[in-house]
Amino acid sequence: MATEAPAQPRAADATAAPAPVAPQRRPWIVRRLRELVGSGGRVIGLDVARGLAVLGMFAVHTGVIAYEFHWLEPGTWSELAWGNASATFAVLAGVAVAIIAGRTSIPDGVPLLQARMRILVRAALIFAVGGIIVALGTELVVIIEFYALFFAMSLPFLRMPWWGLAAFGIGWILLMPQVRVLLVDGLRDAHMVDTAIVELALTGFYPALTWFGYTLVGMAIGRAHMERWRVQLVILGAGVVAIAAANLVPLALAPIEDFLLAGWRGRVQGTDLASLLDPEGHSGSTFDLLGSAGVACVVIALCLLTQRWLRWVLFPIAAVGSMSLTAYTAHALVFLLVDGFSADPWSWVRLSVGVVLGCTLWRALLPKGPLEWGLSAISRATSDVSSRAPAGR
């Protein structure tokens, strides 16, 4: 009987698709470096702007800034940090709120609830950090507690579009300085000026009632398509116009200052009414707020416009901005632990270089700063609300 020939193995089909190859995972140091220069989803321009604001506040706290600005004298340009650095920090608080609340997408339903919970928990934790710094008795005027209030005050505005936030922010800046003067005068008559709540809201170095206008401006920037260069140019132009108006309008009003303030003199007692027309930083006037908001817009716009070309140069400053709460707390501890630190003429250089190096090394190893990691973990855990309906409903 004839036997069958053994079956020959068939050749592999030439048209068969090749087996998928697992993508190679980049080394962790490469991933950290890519994130530092803005390739990991972060907007490095915002981190650079926040880092510059933090370093500017260091300059104010160490007393190295000049207190009289002249365009033709570069040695006086440090005066730009006075009032503007902290204002930029407050504007960037609004940008952060808008990012948490969905950027250009207006949240609703469960996402809105989650955003509100995250922002409220962050505000509470930041306020606690600021309270601890103040309780330790540093010589600084700490902005952290006021910064937390800006977060909490933003909750009713989370569903506004960018143009509504911009209009509200401008109106807030124009009106609230006058409202603050009237409120302080009324509370002074009621002997309530010295309470902690009044200090945070009205009489402190960063009064929340007026400074919240910065946060509304920042929310408008964060809600707009700030990744587009046309929007960045609009932000830049708006900042330049605001700076010009804040400095030129008081000059135009100077001849009629007494006439403008005549109606206030019999109504408000014990208040420096001239400060209502003063454009200098921390005067609390409309022109102070408008000019500082303009400086913040210019800084943010320039950082966004140049982030693609300068990210490899500025990533150490971006590292500071990406962990600004940790950097600010660290600098407060330096003032607490080192006696007479601000008396050293090189204190700002030493502090800035130390913080920049420390933040850069930390971010090269880990994705977040220690305080930022705690804020993110706790706020995300508390806002983990399920969007699914209960079973059987």
Side-chain angles (χ1 to χ4, degrees):
M1 179 186 299
T3 59
E4 268 184 53
Q8 298 295 326
R10 292 184 301 174
D13 189 354
T15 62
V21 179
Q24 293 185 348
R25 189 173 176 83
R26 293 186 177 92
W28 62 270
I29 190 66
V30 176
R31 297 198 303 272
R32 292 283 78 80
L33 185 60
R34 284 173 56 83
E35 186 176 351
L36 275 177
V37 298
S39 300
R42 292 189 67 92
V43 183
I44 189 175
L46 295 178
D47 285 337
V48 171
R50 194 177 294 108
L52 291 174
V54 170
L55 296 178
M57 287 189 287
F58 289 0
V60 174
H61 292 164
T62 52
V64 300
I65 64 171
Y67 288 97
E68 189 172 353
F69 178 79
H70 298 286
W71 283 107
L72 300 179
E73 299 179 18
T76 67
W77 292 357
S78 60
E79 193 268 345
L80 290 173
W82 176 249
N84 295 323
S86 49
T88 302
F89 200 55
V91 171
L92 287 164
V95 178
V97 167
I99 291 174
I100 293 173
R103 283 285 300 273
T104 57
S105 301
I106 297 178
D108 196 6
V110 171
L112 177 61
L113 175 61
Q114 291 174 329
R116 284 175 173 165
M117 287 298 298
R118 287 183 64 189
I119 293 168
L120 188 59
V121 170
R122 281 174 177 259
L125 294 175
I126 293 172
F127 192 87
V129 172
I132 293 172
I133 295 175
V134 172
L136 290 175
T138 64
E139 59 187 81
L140 306 176
V141 181
V142 179
I143 194 176
I144 299 296
E145 292 176 306
F146 300 90
Y147 189 82
L149 285 182
F150 304 154
F151 266 72
M153 292 171 67
S154 69
L155 294 179
F157 302 91
L158 296 185
R159 301 199 70 249
M160 275 192 175
W162 71 265
W163 52 267
L165 290 166
F168 235 96
I170 295 171
W172 198 284
I173 287 173
L174 294 177
L175 295 178
M176 283 304 165
Q178 289 70 239
V179 174
R180 171 178 169 268
V181 168
L182 294 175
L183 289 175
V184 170
D185 186 68
L187 292 171
R188 184 184 293 112
D189 292 340
H191 305 288
M192 297 175 60
V193 174
D194 295 330
T195 61
I197 294 178
V198 173
E199 180 181 356
L200 288 170
L202 299 172
T203 62
F205 207 66
Y206 312 101
L209 182 69
T210 51
W211 276 57
F212 181 63
Y214 293 137
T215 303
L216 287 172
V217 171
M219 290 177 68
I221 293 174
R223 184 71 78 198
H225 291 274
M226 58 182 175
E227 71 280 359
R228 299 176 180 174
W229 66 268
R230 291 183 180 86
V231 175
Q232 295 165 6
L233 289 178
V234 169
I235 297 171
L236 178 63
V240 172
V241 171
I243 294 171
N247 288 275
L248 295 179
V249 172
L251 292 177
L253 296 179
I256 58 172
E257 177 180 323
D258 291 337
F259 172 77
L260 293 174
L261 299 178
W264 290 77
R265 298 194 189 281
R267 184 184 309 174
V268 180
Q269 304 296 327
T271 301
D272 181 13
L273 295 179
S275 64
L276 291 174
L277 301 177
D278 188 356
E280 292 297 321
H282 291 296
S283 65
S285 70
T286 289
F287 303 108
D288 164 32
L289 299 180
L290 186 63
S292 295
V295 171
C297 289
V298 169
V299 170
I300 292 171
L302 290 177
C303 290
L304 291 173
L305 285 166
T306 59
Q307 62 182 350
R308 180 176 300 177
W309 302 284
L310 297 180
R311 59 184 182 176
W312 290 99
V313 178
L314 298 178
F315 75 84
I317 299 178
V320 176
S322 69
M323 48 188 295
S324 56
L325 182 60
T326 298
Y328 189 94
T329 304
H331 109 282
L333 293 178
V334 170
F335 277 85
L336 178 68
L337 299 175
V338 181
D339 292 334
F341 179 75
S342 60
D344 182 356
W346 290 93
S347 57
W348 180 76
V349 175
R350 292 165 55 198
L351 179 63
S352 299
V353 170
V355 169
V356 168
L357 288 178
C359 290
T360 303
L361 291 174
W362 183 284
R363 289 285 282 108
L365 299 173
L366 297 169
K368 292 180 180 178
L371 292 180
E372 286 72 19
W373 180 86
L375 282 179
S376 179
I378 297 174
S379 63
R380 285 184 179 277
T382 54
S383 65
D384 187 15
V385 182
S386 174
S387 59
R388 293 175 297 177
R393 179 171 295 183

